[in-house]
Amino acid sequence: MLEREIPAADEPPVRLALLGESLVVFRDTEGRIGVLDEHCPHRGASLFFGRNEAGGVRCVYHGWKFSVEGKCLDMPTEPAGSPMCSKVRATAYPARLAGGVLWVYMGEGDAPPLPDFEWLGLPDDHIYASRWEQDCNYAQAMEGELDSAHVGFLHSLVNKTEGDAQALTGQYFHDDKAPVWKILPTPAGFMACNGRRTAEGQRYWRLNQFLMPFYTMIPPHPDDAHLVRMWVPMTDERCWVICVTFRPDRRLGDKELAAWCNGDVAHRKVVPGTTRPTERLDNNYLIDRQLQKTVSFTGIAGVRAQDAMVCETAGAIVDRTRENLGSSDRAVVAMRRTLIDAALACEDRGTRPEASLMPHLYRVRATQTVLPEDLDPDKAEALMSTARPMEAPAVQA
């Protein structure tokens, strides 16, 4: 979740669904962040209804009280001096703040370092983050971000293109709807390069990033801010989408910030005060059939809502045995294979993904450029210079 969504010290806890678990998030009296199993370890009552007071959350059922580490601080229904208080713990997960986002570690052992994303060290006024819900499995939601072939249809206008050829509704996407693909593996995932022929006999290349386990980057327009999206599993059939837009070199402009806050571009439009999208399945994404005939290829307002529609309407977990994959699905296939291979390596050999202990691998960008038709993207140094992972920091003697 976002830093601004976390309650202040001693304020009531909030719920958070994550990796199939129901959690509560709160700050204790000293401002430390606690992330606990929502259910009290006594009889399972919800700690969402608990009292956040004097250093911990107290269950209103029997008054048992727990610290941010899950330690039982008070057990008033048991005899004084009972050893039970020192033995019972609430499930607690370590958490920290970075880049306006709450990071929660739910694995075993010590938490690995955070990925060294470029935006994590920027001033607050260089970053904007938002969070919304998506009603499908995280992997199929993430697939839409890597599938650049759909742009020339799903996000297009009817009988019109924008004057800017590199815009999603521009000439490059309109003229060549079957881009060539080149998948370049990296230690943290892969770069999905897709190239479209231009009228000048060149290729317009876009380089999307997939980073384990659920991070994606798509190239910004040359004048736009950079962005990272995180497709975080809530349950098997739902996920959170966290989007961070940022400018490394200056504070955000008022106009672009207003557009992001409103969900006009990059971020999703949501019902005020919630993470629930405005356009969603139960209202048919507010499709306008007249608009579909005359202006928009889909009749659905907003790129994010258009992407959600095609992912969610395939089902909460799409039956992939019914798919007929083509050459345009190469990035989707690469993402699935990368995740499957990593899962099997972890299950069969106990091997964690290499990137989990190499945070520098995440300091990359998605990028784009126009190249001569006979020049492969991985041979274009200007394109690859910011797309390749930076060198690992030197180890101090």
Side-chain angles (χ1 to χ4, degrees):
M1 64 195 311
L2 308 180
E3 180 176 4
R4 65 175 178 268
E5 297 176 305
I6 302 171
D10 288 337
E11 290 297 310
V14 295
R15 289 189 176 103
L16 177 64
L18 200 57
L19 297 184
E21 298 191 28
S22 299
L23 311 172
V24 291
V25 181
F26 67 100
R27 291 183 194 261
D28 68 7
T29 306
E30 298 177 11
R32 298 181 302 167
I33 298 172
V35 180
L36 305 182
D37 185 334
E38 180 181 348
H39 302 286
C40 177
H42 180 205
R43 299 269 294 281
S46 172
L47 293 176
F48 170 76
F49 298 96
R51 298 172 58 89
N52 185 10
E53 57 181 27
V57 171
R58 187 182 297 275
C59 179
V60 294
Y61 196 4
H62 294 90
W64 292 18
K65 181 178 176 181
F66 301 94
S67 71
V68 296
E69 297 92 357
K71 179 182 178 182
C72 188
L73 301 175
D74 191 20
M75 196 176 282
T77 55
E78 295 300 309
S82 169
M84 190 174 179
C85 188
S86 62
K87 295 178 180 179
V88 174
R89 297 185 68 89
T91 299
Y93 295 110
R96 58 174 292 191
L97 293 171
V101 175
L102 177 69
W103 303 75
V104 182
Y105 180 62
M106 300 178 72
E108 298 177 354
D110 294 334
L114 293 183
D116 189 22
F117 285 115
E118 182 178 5
W119 49 275
L120 289 184
L122 295 178
D124 291 346
D125 60 1
H126 289 224
I127 305 168
Y128 177 76
S130 71
R131 177 174 72 119
W132 65 88
E133 310 164 26
Q134 191 144 323
D135 291 331
C136 66
N137 176 266
Y138 86 100
Q140 72 194 59
M142 185 164 58
E143 286 173 356
E145 191 90 334
L146 296 167
D147 170 21
S148 188
H150 76 264
V151 175
F153 292 95
L154 184 66
H155 306 317
S156 65
L157 302 175
V158 177
N159 299 321
K160 181 184 176 182
T161 58
E162 296 288 348
D164 185 345
Q166 296 185 49
L168 294 185
T169 53
Q171 204 69 38
Y172 289 157
F173 293 98
H174 177 271
D175 289 353
D176 187 352
K177 298 184 185 300
V180 297
W181 286 88
K182 188 157 189 175
I183 305 300
L184 305 176
T186 69
F190 61 85
M191 296 180 280
C193 308
N194 51 99
R196 291 173 166 80
R197 273 201 184 96
T198 72
E200 298 78 25
Q202 299 177 306
R203 282 199 187 274
Y204 167 56
W205 283 98
R206 287 172 63 84
L207 193 156
N208 294 10
Q209 297 275 6
F210 167 68
L211 301 163
M212 292 282 285
F214 46 53
Y215 306 105
T216 57
M217 300 179 187
I218 59 174
H221 184 278
D223 296 330
D224 290 345
H226 298 277
L227 70 81
V228 176
R229 289 197 182 94
M230 300 166 248
W231 309 84
V232 187
M234 185 190 310
T235 65
D236 285 344
E237 298 186 345
R238 302 183 73 208
C239 64
W240 299 113
V241 188
I242 295 178
C243 179
V244 179
T245 40
F246 63 96
R247 290 193 179 273
D249 54 346
R250 63 172 175 84
R251 65 177 294 275
L252 302 176
D254 293 340
K255 187 175 180 180
E256 64 185 350
L257 190 57
W260 295 337
C261 292
N262 193 47
D264 295 335
V265 294
H267 301 261
R268 189 88 183 266
K269 190 182 293 291
V270 297
V271 177
T274 77
T275 54
R276 195 72 179 144
T278 304
E279 299 92 357
R280 53 187 186 272
L281 182 59
D282 62 10
N283 60 22
N284 291 322
Y285 303 90
L286 301 178
I287 186 171
D288 184 326
R289 293 295 188 181
Q290 183 59 33
L291 197 70
Q292 188 178 31
K293 287 183 178 182
T294 58
V295 179
S296 161
F297 192 75
T298 63
I300 295 170
V303 171
R304 302 269 60 81
Q306 293 162 6
D307 282 344
M309 180 275 290
V310 294
C311 293
E312 292 175 338
T313 55
I317 301 180
V318 68
D319 181 357
R320 293 178 173 85
T321 66
R322 300 176 62 184
E323 293 179 328
N324 295 278
L325 301 178
S327 60
S328 66
D329 302 304
R330 288 189 62 193
V332 172
V333 172
M335 185 271 284
R336 294 178 184 176
R337 177 50 53 197
T338 301
L339 288 174
I340 290 170
D341 288 348
L344 292 175
C346 187
E347 181 179 53
D348 297 342
R349 302 187 298 277
T351 305
R352 290 189 180 190
E354 178 183 10
S356 67
L357 296 175
M358 302 179 72
H360 70 280
L361 296 177
Y362 292 80
R363 188 169 280 269
V364 296
R365 290 182 180 178
T367 186
Q368 60 185 329
T369 194
V370 176
L371 297 174
E373 189 169 1
D374 59 353
L375 180 62
D376 285 344
D378 52 328
K379 302 297 193 298
E381 189 55 38
L383 178 69
M384 301 302 299
S385 60
T386 57
R388 291 194 185 103
M390 60 177 281
E391 294 295 324
V395 178
Q396 297 294 325

XYZ file of all heavy atoms in Angstrom, residues 82-140:
465
model
N 0.809 -15.487 34.446
C 0.661 -16.674 33.590
C 1.734 -16.675 32.507
O 1.956 -15.657 31.839
C -0.727 -16.686 32.938
O -0.788 -17.670 31.924
N 2.417 -17.825 32.288
C 3.444 -17.884 31.235
C 2.846 -17.831 29.829
O 3.573 -17.680 28.855
C 4.117 -19.240 31.488
C 3.066 -20.068 32.165
C 2.277 -19.107 33.004
N 1.525 -17.937 29.740
C 0.880 -17.955 28.431
C 1.140 -16.670 27.658
O 1.291 -16.675 26.426
C -0.624 -18.169 28.597
C -1.367 -18.437 27.308
S -3.100 -18.847 27.643
C -3.677 -19.066 25.952
N 1.228 -15.558 28.356
C 1.416 -14.261 27.699
C 2.723 -14.213 26.931
O 2.801 -13.609 25.858
C 1.361 -13.144 28.731
S 1.354 -11.487 28.007
N 3.762 -14.851 27.451
C 5.062 -14.819 26.784
C 5.157 -15.838 25.655
O 6.098 -15.783 24.856
C 6.182 -15.072 27.802
O 6.031 -16.361 28.385
N 4.202 -16.772 25.593
C 4.254 -17.817 24.579
C 3.404 -17.510 23.347
O 3.709 -17.958 22.249
C 3.801 -19.145 25.182
C 4.726 -19.676 26.267
C 4.192 -20.984 26.850
C 5.129 -21.516 27.929
N 4.600 -22.780 28.528
N 2.331 -16.763 23.517
C 1.420 -16.486 22.404
C 1.909 -15.278 21.612
O 2.259 -14.247 22.191
C -0.013 -16.244 22.926
C -0.926 -15.803 21.778
C -0.556 -17.507 23.579
N 1.923 -15.400 20.308
C 2.305 -14.291 19.436
C 1.312 -14.176 18.297
O 0.750 -15.170 17.833
C 3.708 -14.502 18.852
C 4.821 -14.537 19.871
C 6.171 -14.619 19.177
N 6.513 -13.413 18.453
C 7.163 -12.383 18.982
N 7.545 -12.412 20.242
N 7.438 -11.308 18.253
N 1.098 -12.954 17.854
C 0.349 -12.728 16.620
C 1.326 -12.813 15.446
O 2.494 -12.429 15.576
C -0.320 -11.354 16.638
N 0.878 -13.325 14.336
C 1.728 -13.357 13.147
C 2.006 -11.932 12.709
O 1.087 -11.141 12.483
C 1.051 -14.128 12.004
O 0.814 -15.477 12.432
C 1.913 -14.140 10.763
N 3.283 -11.576 12.618
C 3.694 -10.221 12.265
C 4.722 -10.292 11.141
O 5.556 -11.206 11.105
C 4.287 -9.498 13.466
N 4.660 -9.325 10.251
C 5.586 -9.275 9.123
C 6.376 -7.979 9.165
O 5.796 -6.908 9.369
C 4.833 -9.368 7.797
C 4.131 -10.698 7.598
C 2.745 -10.782 7.636
C 4.874 -11.859 7.377
C 2.107 -11.997 7.446
C 4.243 -13.082 7.198
C 2.865 -13.145 7.232
O 2.239 -14.356 7.058
N 7.701 -8.050 8.959
C 8.503 -6.822 8.940
C 8.114 -5.941 7.763
O 7.802 -6.427 6.670
C 9.940 -7.333 8.805
C 9.823 -8.710 8.239
C 8.524 -9.254 8.728
N 8.132 -4.634 7.985
C 7.735 -3.682 6.952
C 8.589 -2.435 7.059
O 9.093 -2.094 8.131
C 6.260 -3.321 7.100
N 8.748 -1.763 5.922
C 9.476 -0.505 5.920
C 8.928 0.379 4.812
O 8.244 -0.090 3.898
C 10.974 -0.721 5.714
C 11.330 -1.451 4.438
C 12.825 -1.504 4.201
N 13.382 -0.193 3.920
C 14.622 0.002 3.467
N 15.417 -1.034 3.273
N 15.049 1.220 3.218
N 9.231 1.671 4.910
C 8.789 2.636 3.914
C 9.951 3.034 3.022
O 11.077 3.224 3.493
C 8.236 3.886 4.594
C 6.941 3.708 5.386
C 6.645 4.973 6.181
C 5.787 3.376 4.464
N 9.665 3.160 1.732
C 10.644 3.674 0.778
C 9.898 4.149 -0.456
O 9.027 3.444 -0.972
C 11.666 2.598 0.395
N 10.214 5.351 -0.901
C 9.607 5.871 -2.113
C 8.105 6.068 -2.025
O 7.403 5.975 -3.036
N 7.590 6.349 -0.828
C 6.155 6.559 -0.658
C 5.337 5.289 -0.656
O 4.102 5.339 -0.699
N 6.005 4.122 -0.576
C 5.329 2.825 -0.643
C 5.701 1.998 0.580
O 6.845 2.054 1.066
C 5.738 2.070 -1.936
C 5.155 0.664 -1.972
C 5.292 2.851 -3.165
N 4.756 1.220 1.086
C 5.007 0.291 2.179
C 5.447 -1.045 1.602
O 4.752 -1.645 0.788
C 3.745 0.096 3.024
C 3.868 -0.921 4.167
C 4.798 -0.381 5.253
C 2.505 -1.251 4.754
N 6.617 -1.514 2.028
C 7.168 -2.788 1.573
C 7.067 -3.786 2.721
O 7.569 -3.558 3.815
C 8.627 -2.617 1.158
C 8.835 -1.583 0.086
C 8.795 -0.230 0.240
C 9.081 -1.823 -1.297
N 9.017 0.395 -0.963
C 9.204 -0.549 -1.929
C 9.230 -2.977 -2.069
C 9.459 -0.422 -3.283
C 9.491 -2.843 -3.421
C 9.602 -1.588 -4.018
N 6.434 -4.914 2.466
C 6.201 -5.936 3.488
C 6.918 -7.215 3.073
O 6.773 -7.664 1.929
C 4.692 -6.221 3.657
C 4.459 -7.251 4.758
C 3.934 -4.938 3.961
N 7.687 -7.797 3.977
C 8.375 -9.060 3.692
C 7.620 -10.205 4.344
O 7.465 -10.246 5.560
C 9.819 -9.021 4.195
C 10.555 -10.309 3.907
C 10.745 -10.734 2.593
C 11.033 -11.113 4.932
C 11.402 -11.931 2.316
C 11.700 -12.298 4.667
C 11.873 -12.708 3.350
O 12.514 -13.883 3.084
N 7.148 -11.160 3.528
C 6.334 -12.270 4.034
C 7.042 -13.611 3.898
O 6.421 -14.662 4.040
C 4.991 -12.285 3.294
C 4.196 -11.005 3.482
S 2.632 -10.970 2.588
C 1.664 -12.133 3.549
N 8.350 -13.584 3.597
C 9.100 -14.832 3.455
C 9.731 -15.276 4.763
O 9.481 -14.721 5.832
N 10.585 -16.274 4.653
C 11.287 -16.810 5.817
C 12.659 -16.148 5.946
O 13.233 -15.680 4.972
C 11.448 -18.324 5.677
C 10.121 -19.078 5.615
C 10.311 -20.561 5.401
O 11.488 -20.978 5.188
O 9.325 -21.305 5.425
N 13.194 -16.141 7.160
C 14.517 -15.589 7.390
C 14.530 -14.073 7.275
O 13.497 -13.413 7.288
N 15.736 -13.535 7.141
C 15.885 -12.086 7.057
C 15.373 -11.564 5.730
O 15.518 -12.213 4.690
C 17.352 -11.700 7.218
C 17.882 -12.017 8.607
O 17.067 -12.053 9.546
O 19.107 -12.249 8.738
N 14.804 -10.380 5.758
C 14.312 -9.760 4.529
C 15.486 -9.405 3.629
O 16.500 -8.878 4.096
C 13.505 -8.513 4.869
N 15.374 -9.694 2.337
C 16.422 -9.285 1.396
C 16.399 -7.776 1.205
O 15.429 -7.110 1.597
C 16.035 -10.018 0.108
C 14.557 -10.185 0.210
C 14.254 -10.371 1.669
N 17.423 -7.206 0.607
C 17.405 -5.751 0.354
C 16.315 -5.388 -0.637
O 15.909 -6.204 -1.469
C 18.793 -5.482 -0.226
C 19.226 -6.802 -0.801
C 18.643 -7.850 0.104
N 15.832 -4.158 -0.537
C 14.854 -3.685 -1.510
C 15.502 -3.557 -2.879
O 16.692 -3.241 -2.984
C 14.303 -2.318 -1.094
C 13.461 -2.238 0.162
C 12.946 -0.808 0.341
C 12.300 -3.211 0.130
N 14.746 -3.790 -3.942
C 15.303 -3.523 -5.276
C 15.663 -2.053 -5.393
O 14.943 -1.180 -4.909
C 14.155 -3.912 -6.216
C 12.916 -3.890 -5.371
C 13.353 -4.254 -3.994
N 16.773 -1.786 -6.041
C 17.313 -0.426 -6.087
C 16.693 0.367 -7.239
O 17.398 0.840 -8.139
C 18.832 -0.484 -6.225
C 19.487 0.882 -6.072
O 18.861 1.777 -5.462
O 20.603 1.063 -6.586
N 15.378 0.519 -7.211
C 14.721 1.306 -8.247
C 15.187 2.760 -8.185
O 15.443 3.304 -7.111
C 13.201 1.260 -8.058
C 12.577 -0.040 -8.479
C 11.955 -0.859 -7.544
C 12.587 -0.449 -9.802
C 11.372 -2.054 -7.923
C 12.014 -1.634 -10.193
C 11.405 -2.451 -9.254
N 15.246 3.361 -9.337
C 15.740 4.726 -9.472
C 14.958 5.714 -8.621
O 15.508 6.670 -8.069
C 15.673 5.114 -10.948
C 16.195 6.474 -11.298
C 16.124 6.741 -12.797
O 15.573 5.900 -13.538
O 16.616 7.791 -13.225
N 13.659 5.511 -8.466
C 12.807 6.472 -7.786
C 12.869 6.393 -6.272
O 12.393 7.296 -5.581
C 11.358 6.317 -8.243
C 10.853 4.908 -8.212
C 10.994 3.965 -9.180
C 10.105 4.277 -7.161
N 10.395 2.786 -8.793
C 9.842 2.967 -7.571
C 9.639 4.717 -5.913
C 9.130 2.054 -6.776
C 8.927 3.827 -5.116
C 8.681 2.510 -5.551
N 13.447 5.326 -5.722
C 13.406 5.159 -4.266
C 14.200 6.234 -3.530
O 13.897 6.549 -2.398
C 13.919 3.770 -3.876
C 13.001 2.601 -4.223
C 13.568 1.287 -3.709
C 11.604 2.819 -3.639
N 15.211 6.808 -4.163
C 16.004 7.815 -3.474
C 15.651 9.243 -3.836
O 16.356 10.175 -3.430
N 14.555 9.442 -4.578
C 14.215 10.795 -5.028
C 13.433 11.564 -3.967
O 12.756 10.972 -3.126
C 13.380 10.713 -6.313
C 14.076 10.130 -7.549
C 13.097 10.071 -8.719
C 15.294 10.957 -7.911
N 13.469 12.890 -4.024
C 12.642 13.702 -3.114
C 11.161 13.426 -3.338
O 10.734 13.029 -4.428
C 13.004 15.143 -3.496
C 14.327 15.042 -4.188
C 14.353 13.722 -4.867
N 10.366 13.674 -2.313
C 8.930 13.379 -2.368
C 8.238 14.099 -3.520
O 7.313 13.559 -4.135
C 8.255 13.766 -1.050
C 8.671 12.849 0.095
O 9.254 11.782 -0.185
O 8.412 13.203 1.265
N 8.669 15.331 -3.828
C 7.973 16.100 -4.867
C 8.402 15.711 -6.288
O 7.992 16.325 -7.256
C 8.120 17.600 -4.648
C 9.564 18.071 -4.652
O 10.472 17.231 -4.836
O 9.777 19.291 -4.471
N 9.217 14.658 -6.398
C 9.588 14.105 -7.701
C 8.794 12.843 -8.015
O 8.956 12.267 -9.093
C 11.077 13.757 -7.738
C 11.993 14.938 -7.763
N 13.081 15.017 -8.598
C 11.986 16.096 -7.053
C 13.710 16.161 -8.401
N 13.065 16.834 -7.453
N 7.959 12.387 -7.072
C 7.311 11.076 -7.160
C 5.812 11.209 -6.930
O 5.365 11.975 -6.066
C 7.871 10.121 -6.080
C 9.396 10.013 -6.161
C 7.253 8.728 -6.206
C 10.008 9.319 -4.955
N 5.028 10.447 -7.691
C 3.615 10.273 -7.373
C 3.285 8.790 -7.487
O 3.632 8.139 -8.481
C 2.708 11.070 -8.309
C 1.242 10.816 -8.023
C 0.636 11.414 -6.912
C 0.489 9.967 -8.818
C -0.696 11.164 -6.620
C -0.852 9.718 -8.529
C -1.433 10.326 -7.428
O -2.746 10.070 -7.133
N 2.623 8.249 -6.464
C 2.249 6.834 -6.453
C 0.759 6.697 -6.201
O 0.151 7.511 -5.493
C 3.034 6.084 -5.368
N 0.163 5.665 -6.793
C -1.254 5.372 -6.548
C -1.450 3.864 -6.490
O -0.591 3.085 -6.934
C -2.139 5.977 -7.640
O -1.969 5.285 -8.869
N -2.594 3.440 -5.953
C -2.906 2.014 -5.809
C -4.359 1.792 -6.173
O -5.229 2.578 -5.798
C -2.646 1.570 -4.366
C -3.018 0.106 -4.083
C -2.587 -0.304 -2.686
N -3.385 0.291 -1.640
C -4.115 -0.395 -0.746
N -4.156 -1.715 -0.789
N -4.803 0.226 0.183
N -4.606 0.717 -6.913
C -5.987 0.346 -7.216
C -6.115 -1.172 -7.297
O -5.124 -1.903 -7.345
C -6.463 1.014 -8.502
C -5.766 0.610 -9.766
C -6.086 -0.438 -10.589
C -4.636 1.256 -10.375
N -5.229 -0.488 -11.661
C -4.335 0.547 -11.567
C -3.870 2.370 -10.044
C -3.289 0.901 -12.409
C -2.818 2.729 -10.885
C -2.538 1.996 -12.052
N -7.355 -1.632 -7.307
C -7.649 -3.064 -7.352
C -7.843 -3.515 -8.797
O -8.324 -2.753 -9.630
C -8.950 -3.376 -6.590
C -9.027 -2.789 -5.208
C -10.453 -2.792 -4.665
O -11.258 -3.652 -5.092
O -10.754 -1.924 -3.826
N -7.486 -4.766 -9.066
C -7.809 -5.366 -10.353
C -8.369 -6.762 -10.103
O -7.806 -7.542 -9.336
C -6.601 -5.425 -11.277
C -6.969 -5.797 -12.692
C -6.132 -5.093 -13.741
O -5.771 -3.919 -13.595
N -5.813 -5.794 -14.802
N -9.502 -7.065 -10.752
C -10.235 -8.296 -10.455
C -9.833 -9.442 -11.369
O -10.653 -10.010 -12.094
C -11.749 -8.036 -10.547
C -12.239 -7.138 -9.423
O -11.628 -7.167 -8.335
O -13.211 -6.401 -9.625
N -8.548 -9.793 -11.319
C -8.057 -10.992 -11.997
C -6.711 -11.349 -11.395
O -6.111 -10.579 -10.642
C -7.961 -10.796 -13.506
S -6.743 -9.579 -14.049
N -6.229 -12.537 -11.738
C -4.934 -12.997 -11.281
C -3.832 -12.022 -11.689
O -3.863 -11.451 -12.776
C -4.685 -14.382 -11.894
C -3.316 -14.924 -11.570
O -2.385 -14.753 -12.345
N -3.197 -15.556 -10.439
N -2.848 -11.862 -10.825
C -1.807 -10.849 -11.066
C -1.039 -11.095 -12.355
O -0.645 -10.158 -13.052
C -0.836 -10.801 -9.879
C 0.298 -11.802 -9.958
C 1.564 -11.414 -10.375
C 0.105 -13.149 -9.650
C 2.597 -12.317 -10.477
C 1.120 -14.060 -9.745
C 2.372 -13.647 -10.153
O 3.392 -14.557 -10.260
N -0.814 -12.379 -12.710
C 0.010 -12.666 -13.881
C -0.684 -12.232 -15.167
O -0.051 -11.647 -16.055
C 0.348 -14.158 -13.936
N -1.988 -12.507 -15.281
C -2.653 -12.092 -16.516
C -2.863 -10.582 -16.571
O -2.886 -9.992 -17.651
C -3.966 -12.838 -16.718
C -5.112 -12.458 -15.821
C -6.235 -13.476 -15.871
O -6.029 -14.643 -15.564
N -7.427 -13.050 -16.273
